[in-house]
Amino acid sequence: MTLFNTALHNLKKDVVINIIGFVQLIAVFLVSAVMISAISIRYVSYNAVKGFLSQKGFYIVFDPLLGARDLDVDLLEGIFYSEDALNTRVNADSVVSVQAADAAGLIDYPITSGSAIPISFYDNELLSKCKPRLKSGRWIKQGSDKLEAVVTDNYVTDWRVGDTLVLDVVQYPDRRIIEVEIVGIVEGNSEIFGYHRPRDGSGDTFRYLFDTPNSYNLNHPNRPTMISSSEALGQLFPELQTRTDCAFFLFNDDTPDEEIKQKAMLAGGLNGMVVDDLNDLNENSKIYLRDELLTLMPVIVILLILLVVSAISVSAIATRRRLKDYAKYYVLGLRWQQCAVVNLLQALITGVAALVISVAALFVVSLTPLSKTITIIFNAGLVLSLLGILALYLVFSMIMPLLMLRSTTPKALLQSE
């Protein structure tokens, strides 16, 4: 306790220099958190679909108005293919798809004056892998006896977790009423699979497969969106039809490339708008992630230099000013090497305080409108990174005190007075 009190005393005596180091450390924490979050967002989205992209096959996006259907069949009498039906037509080894309710008026919500609510129905594989960040509530459970859904919070303020929505499904030639329970609210900046970005802004990478509610709703104002389970829909409301919005067609490794190309053309003939080879998507995605890291490298280097300079300079100045005090402490019974521990405690107090304030500031930002432009991902990666920065700060804060204490003795300091 005596060493801790001594460290606090030294911090108070060198207020100006310690404040400068404190502010610099907060800046390093904040900028690092923003950068780490930016990287995390991209890697989280890529990892969600990495298992699909690393297989043989192709990804297809169908026309949002018609869905996957025979082109020679009238729209009202068209067959909206399920995964099994698509697989039967194309004969892939497996199909992973997003089914959707027609956004052109098949599903209306009376409370919003009849405005259409598009719903994406994920199959079980997508439910387990493509989970957007939630503002509140929980993710959809598989095997639930209710039709659960998560909704976006954009432009909708009266929907809460636990609410049950009555959806009026207009489907030729019948009308049906279904109930959907809201179990979660999606964050506005969370990336959602199946919300496709413009290709000119994302290229032929995994980024094209995702978009955020904030971005999506710029083109669809006052239009909340919903995600639910295709398995639950099929079990609870088997009479309802959905269109296929997008799908992965996956094949075994020994399937010839030419056969996959032919089946991609066949699938594209079912009203597909975009067909991408999974290998091309995966390779382009890896290049994109590598380029993103290389772009951030200069900033990372600058942050490390700032951290090292701040730690060494502050500790050097503080130690030099306190050397004669340490000599007096030595006379009073403090071991000479324990003086270095005092410096370590000073750095620890400064570092922990800066970390706490930085984390508090990040939480505040996440609750304000700034969160629409500055996205912070609170995950294990961010925690470990910030603790790593703190550890580096402590290590470099000890270098100069140890060198200075080894280069002199208490006797020499006392004789110099």
Side-chain angles (χ1 to χ4, degrees), residues 145 193 354 367 410:
D145 57 355
F193 176 78
L367 300 175

Side-chain angles (χ1 to χ4, degrees), residues 96-132:
V96 179
S97 73
V98 175
Q99 299 292 318
D102 199 310
L106 284 181
I107 294 185
D108 294 336
Y109 182 49
I111 294 179
T112 58
S113 303
S115 60
I117 302 174
I119 307 179
S120 297
F121 294 96
Y122 285 8
D123 69 7
N124 286 341
E125 280 197 76
L126 293 176
L127 282 178
S128 64
K129 296 179 179 180
C130 300
K131 302 177 182 179

Side-chain angles (χ1 to χ4, degrees), residues 36-310:
I36 293 166
S37 295
I39 296 173
S40 294
I41 290 173
R42 287 156 176 76
Y43 271 93
V44 166
S45 297
Y46 173 69
N47 287 334
V49 295
K50 181 180 178 180
F52 303 127
L53 300 185
S54 60
Q55 298 185 55
K56 271 193 168 185
F58 54 88
Y59 178 77
I60 185 168
V61 180
F62 293 104
D63 189 304
L65 295 180
L66 303 181
R69 57 181 292 275
D70 285 324
L71 299 181
D72 58 350
V73 179
D74 182 82
L75 174 62
L76 293 179
E77 298 177 353
I79 298 174
F80 297 94
Y81 291 112
S82 64
E83 284 184 3
D84 290 339
L86 280 172
N87 206 353
T88 300
R89 292 294 302 269
V90 180
N91 192 25
D93 290 300
S94 66
V95 176
V96 179
S97 73
V98 175
Q99 299 292 318
D102 199 310
L106 284 181
I107 294 185
D108 294 336
Y109 182 49
I111 294 179
T112 58
S113 303
S115 60
I117 302 174
I119 307 179
S120 297
F121 294 96
Y122 285 8
D123 69 7
N124 286 341
E125 280 197 76
L126 293 176
L127 282 178
S128 64
K129 296 179 179 180
C130 300
K131 302 177 182 179
R133 298 190 314 279
L134 299 180
K135 181 178 180 181
S136 60
R138 61 169 174 81
W139 185 235
I140 302 161
K141 288 182 180 178
Q142 297 183 26
S144 174
D145 57 355
K146 296 180 180 179
L147 186 59
E148 299 180 345
V150 297
V151 297
T152 57
D153 63 345
N154 304 77
Y155 309 105
V156 179
T157 58
D158 57 338
W159 291 357
R160 298 289 185 271
V161 173
D163 288 351
T164 297
L165 305 183
V166 179
L167 301 180
D168 182 11
V169 183
V170 182
Q171 206 168 40
Y172 182 84
D174 301 315
R175 297 170 64 93
R176 300 185 184 280
I177 300 295
I178 65 173
E179 291 187 351
V180 178
E181 180 181 352
I182 298 178
V183 296
I185 308 294
V186 180
E187 283 187 7
N189 268 346
S190 181
E191 298 208 328
I192 299 179
F193 176 78
Y195 285 25
H196 299 99
R197 283 185 171 88
R199 292 181 73 87
D200 56 356
S202 56
D204 297 333
T205 71
F206 73 96
R207 296 283 287 165
Y208 168 65
L209 312 182
F210 296 83
D211 203 356
T212 67
N214 284 342
S215 176
Y216 178 85
N217 281 290
L218 289 177
N219 299 318
H220 305 83
N222 302 312
R223 196 180 198 183
T225 53
M226 187 179 299
I227 302 173
S228 188
S229 165
S230 58
E231 181 184 60
L233 180 71
Q235 292 176 350
L236 298 171
F237 305 99
E239 71 281 3
L240 296 183
Q241 295 178 335
T242 56
R243 63 179 175 83
T244 303
D245 189 48
C246 54
F248 291 103
F249 286 79
L250 308 175
F251 299 85
N252 293 329
D253 291 339
D254 57 356
T255 305
D257 292 340
E258 188 60 35
E259 180 182 337
I260 295 176
K261 290 181 181 179
Q262 292 176 356
K263 291 183 176 181
M265 293 179 63
L266 174 61
L270 299 174
N271 214 34
M273 294 194 307
V274 177
V275 182
D276 284 308
D277 180 77
L278 294 184
N279 182 65
D280 292 341
L281 277 177
N282 197 30
E283 291 304 314
N284 292 336
S285 297
K286 291 178 181 178
I287 293 172
Y288 166 81
L289 290 172
R290 183 198 63 193
D291 291 344
E292 286 289 296
L293 285 175
L294 291 176
T295 301
L296 294 175
M297 281 303 295
V299 182
I300 295 174
V301 172
I302 291 173
L303 286 175
L304 289 176
I305 292 174
L306 177 61
L307 180 69
V308 172
V309 171
S310 175

